[in-house]
Amino acid sequence: MRKITIAIDGFSACGKSTTAKRVATILGYSYIDSGAMYRAVTCFFLQHHVALTNPREVLQALREVRITFKVNTRGVSETYLNGLSVEAEIRSMRVSEQVSQVSTLPAVRTAMVDQQRKMGRDKAIVMDGRDIGTVVFPDAELKVFLTADLLTRAYRRQQELLAKDDLVDLNVILDNLIKRDEIDSTRAESPLRKAPGAIELDTTNLTIEEQTDEVVRFALALMLKPVG
Ligand code: CDP
């Protein structure tokens, strides 16, 4: 079977990460959560009080950031920042409130995109984010753009946080999603856009199983296609 690259982009809380993870498991592909990388950088910047307006400070900080992923004993991939697991911290509202601002910085994007391309060198990968189909892997064989209505997304994010014993008011989540949508789609550097050729999937009324199946179907059709 042909090895392909699968790029999944879309707005926050459309189920990108869950879908991408499941698709990767079904196909035996690796999975990279590019959002977790931007979140880990944000974590580092917060810990070290990096001034986002000072390009030299930002560059110096980026040199000190090492992001890795490791599968834990439950088979779940965790994000590590300089050797320490930051999986819980990167999902906190404190990080969610800063991450889109940090992600507008060209130096941050260049550093992350470089790493992401290296991780995808051998294909057989599913990566999710905002610019995977447009910038990171514009030649990906399969590009998917996920959407869902705002209230559904806010409710899903609330449930996700609740599962980690973090009860957050729906209005606080709504406010954060609206702000991030705005920053992510209007920034100068690689804004969130549906890539040319991407398949758009509205997940508002789909279960996670249904949206996973859709993507797997498209992927298998491409993987089984004879080369040439
Ligand atoms: O989980 P959620 O969908 O809320 O967001 P995420 O995928 O963890 O990404 C967090 C933030 O990182 C986004 O709101 C973007 O500002 C930024 N990001 C980005 O700029 N480019 C990517 N490829 C992935 C995330």
Side-chain angles (χ1 to χ4, degrees):
M1 261 203 279
R2 207 156 70 106
K3 282 202 278 184
I4 63 167
T5 300
I6 304 174
I8 303 185
D9 289 303
F11 294 97
S12 302
C14 288
K16 285 189 310 289
S17 302
T18 316
T19 308
K21 229 177 277 174
R22 287 183 177 222
V23 169
T25 306
I26 293 170
L27 300 177
Y29 274 23
S30 20
Y31 162 63
I32 298 292
D33 176 353
S34 73
M37 298 172 70
Y38 290 94
R39 286 174 179 271
V41 170
T42 304
C43 218
F44 185 92
F45 282 16
L46 284 169
Q47 284 167 0
H48 295 83
H49 309 284
V50 174
L52 302 187
T53 47
N54 184 334
R56 270 211 306 182
E57 239 181 77
V58 167
L59 272 181
Q60 181 52 40
L62 282 170
R63 273 186 220 115
E64 293 166 28
V65 169
R66 202 170 47 86
I67 301 165
T68 46
F69 294 97
K70 217 158 64 185
V71 177
N72 68 18
T73 47
R74 285 170 290 122
V76 180
S77 169
E78 288 191 359
T79 313
Y80 281 71
L81 171 61
N82 296 334
L84 290 177
S85 172
V86 284
E87 196 49 47
E89 195 172 345
I90 60 170
R91 310 291 165 192
S92 67
M93 283 307 284
R94 188 168 100 101
V95 169
S96 292
E97 272 153 17
Q98 294 299 320
V99 62
S100 286
Q101 210 53 52
V102 171
S103 304
T104 61
L105 301 175
V108 170
R109 303 212 68 82
T110 306
M112 294 304 106
V113 171
D114 273 359
Q115 275 200 41
Q116 290 153 7
R117 288 191 179 140
K118 280 187 193 130
M119 290 167 169
R121 230 178 352 216
D122 298 328
K123 297 198 176 215
I125 192 168
V126 186
M127 195 176 287
D128 78 313
R130 303 290 186 288
D131 60 343
I132 311 304
T134 50
V135 174
V136 183
F137 300 127
D139 297 329
E141 288 83 356
L142 178 57
K143 298 177 191 175
V144 179
F145 191 79
L146 295 185
T147 62
D149 77 36
L150 184 64
L151 208 56
T152 306
R153 291 160 53 204
Y155 182 69
R156 284 178 185 167
R157 181 49 45 93
Q158 192 186 39
Q159 294 300 310
E160 192 181 314
L161 289 164
L162 204 56
K164 293 175 197 155
D165 294 327
D166 193 4
L167 174 60
V168 184
D169 190 283
L170 199 64
N171 284 317
V172 172
I173 297 176
L174 270 170
D175 188 53
N176 177 255
L177 293 183
I178 293 168
K179 278 200 187 114
R180 277 201 291 139
D181 283 357
E182 165 75 13
I183 301 175
D184 292 349
S185 14
T186 58
R187 68 185 177 212
E189 187 92 3
S190 41
L192 170 63
R193 291 266 182 286
K194 180 179 160 191
I199 293 158
E200 186 166 335
L201 211 58
D202 182 345
T203 71
T204 309
N205 297 306
L206 295 182
T207 64
I208 204 72
E209 287 80 15
E210 287 169 335
Q211 62 196 65
T212 303
D213 284 354
E214 280 281 290
V215 180
V216 167
R217 263 192 322 115
F218 284 117
L220 283 174
L222 290 162
M223 289 161 72
L224 292 167
K225 213 165 90 177
V227 188

